[in-house]
Amino acid sequence: MRILETKNYEEMSALAADIIGAQVLLKPRCVLGLATGSSPIGTYQKLIEACRQGRLDFSQVRTVNLDEYCGLTGDNPQSYRYFMDHQLFSQVNIPRENTFLPDGMAQDMEEESRRYEALVASLGGVDLQLLGIGHNGHIGFNEPTDSFPPTVHQVELTESTIQANSRLFDRIEDVPTQAITMGVGTILKADKILLIAGADKKSIVEEALYGKVTPQVPASVLQLHRDVTVITCREG
Ligand code: F6R
């Protein structure tokens, strides 16, 4: 595991974008696993800049996102599809049909889970998976629990995650209580993993990287993966 400490959010974002950019340069038809939330916004901005300057070409890239809320359509500004369309996809030259997220509106979530797991596999697996981390150690929407979820599945969000995510909604009652997420096993199948964590995540990052490997701290499982890069920042 490589742990790279940067000064601030700006530097973390630039470094993360360099690593993702290198992946795209080395393998133009790569599969990127992507995340939503506050952590990757700066990284996406740097990727957009690089694309606008002609340094990166996304025309062959395929993307699979980690997760989606249940019950929100893609045109709902709180959905992760909407987030990705606005924060990245519409601003780089990626064909929209190359971008995939779980369908939070699917009637049958078990079937949708199987479909999404199979879709990731059918693309040839993820070359580089970008992750953020929750204050409780979650990755994707894999919340602390008794065993590591192996595959894509539906989850009930914990109170702490609903609280944390409510900052993006008008009212806490509007935060969906369920989501569909890649499992920890799905995430671990990626060839390379890149975790980015702001200064506010310092203590959970330490617990996850140096503490016991336990499903009570889902990100601790990353200690077992052969190619993980973690970028932290000292401030901001
Ligand atoms: C988002 C996701 C989550 C976030 C985590 C951190 O797709 O999978 O695990 O990465 O909740 O969120 P931020 O970056 O907003 O602190």
Side-chain angles (χ1 to χ4, degrees):
M1 182 176 302
R2 280 174 297 280
I3 303 176
L4 308 172
E5 193 189 59
T6 58
K7 189 162 170 286
N8 52 29
Y9 183 82
E10 169 81 16
E11 275 188 17
M12 175 181 81
S13 303
L15 188 52
D18 282 350
I19 293 172
I20 297 170
Q23 173 66 68
V24 173
L25 288 171
L26 286 171
K27 186 177 174 189
R29 204 174 148 66
C30 64
V31 177
L32 298 177
L34 298 178
T36 57
S38 312
S39 309
I41 290 178
T43 305
Y44 295 154
Q45 282 167 357
K46 300 282 178 195
L47 290 173
I48 292 165
E49 253 170 61
C51 185
R52 288 200 177 135
Q53 293 163 358
R55 290 186 284 117
L56 280 183
D57 174 13
F58 286 85
S59 62
Q60 298 182 66
V61 171
R62 281 88 42 86
T63 65
V64 284
N65 263 78
L66 284 166
D67 43 19
E68 178 60 283
Y69 284 123
C70 291
L72 300 187
T73 53
D75 58 359
N76 183 316
Q78 308 295 353
S79 73
Y80 286 173
R81 162 50 83 180
Y82 186 97
F83 175 101
M84 291 308 302
D85 282 347
H86 287 77
Q87 299 293 341
L88 184 65
F89 300 151
S90 64
Q91 303 193 61
V92 295
N93 65 332
I94 190 165
R96 196 169 188 277
E97 63 271 20
N98 286 2
T99 65
F100 303 96
L101 284 91
D103 178 3
M105 292 300 290
Q107 289 296 315
D108 180 341
M109 279 299 160
E110 282 188 18
E111 193 187 311
E112 174 57 12
S113 300
R114 283 192 294 275
R115 183 197 70 84
Y116 198 66
E117 184 78 27
L119 174 105
V120 176
S122 73
L123 294 173
V126 173
D127 291 293
L128 174 62
Q129 175 68 55
L130 178 64
L131 295 178
I133 180 171
H135 286 284
N136 61 3
H138 73 223
I139 47 176
F141 269 126
N142 294 281
E143 303 282 14
T145 178
D146 293 338
S147 61
F148 291 113
T151 55
V152 177
H153 60 291
Q154 187 176 24
V155 282
E156 301 288 330
L157 303 190
T158 62
E159 206 42 52
S160 81
T161 298
I162 293 174
Q163 283 287 347
N165 292 3
S166 67
R167 70 190 192 280
L168 305 167
F169 288 78
D170 290 340
R171 302 175 316 155
I172 191 158
E173 300 80 53
D174 296 337
V175 186
T177 56
Q178 293 178 319
I180 175 167
T181 181
M182 284 188 192
V184 168
T186 325
I187 293 171
L188 288 181
K189 281 189 198 148
D191 273 357
K192 297 180 275 301
I193 293 179
L194 174 61
L195 173 73
I196 53 176
D200 60 315
K201 306 281 175 55
K202 192 174 175 355
S203 72
I204 188 64
V205 166
E206 271 169 20
E207 196 181 337
L209 303 187
Y210 304 112
K212 201 169 109 187
V213 176
T214 164
Q216 294 300 336
V217 182
S220 64
V221 81
L222 299 176
Q223 293 180 38
L224 306 178
H225 191 278
R226 64 190 180 286
D227 193 339
V228 177
T229 302
V230 180
I231 311 181
T232 61
C233 43
R234 285 190 291 278
E235 57 195 57

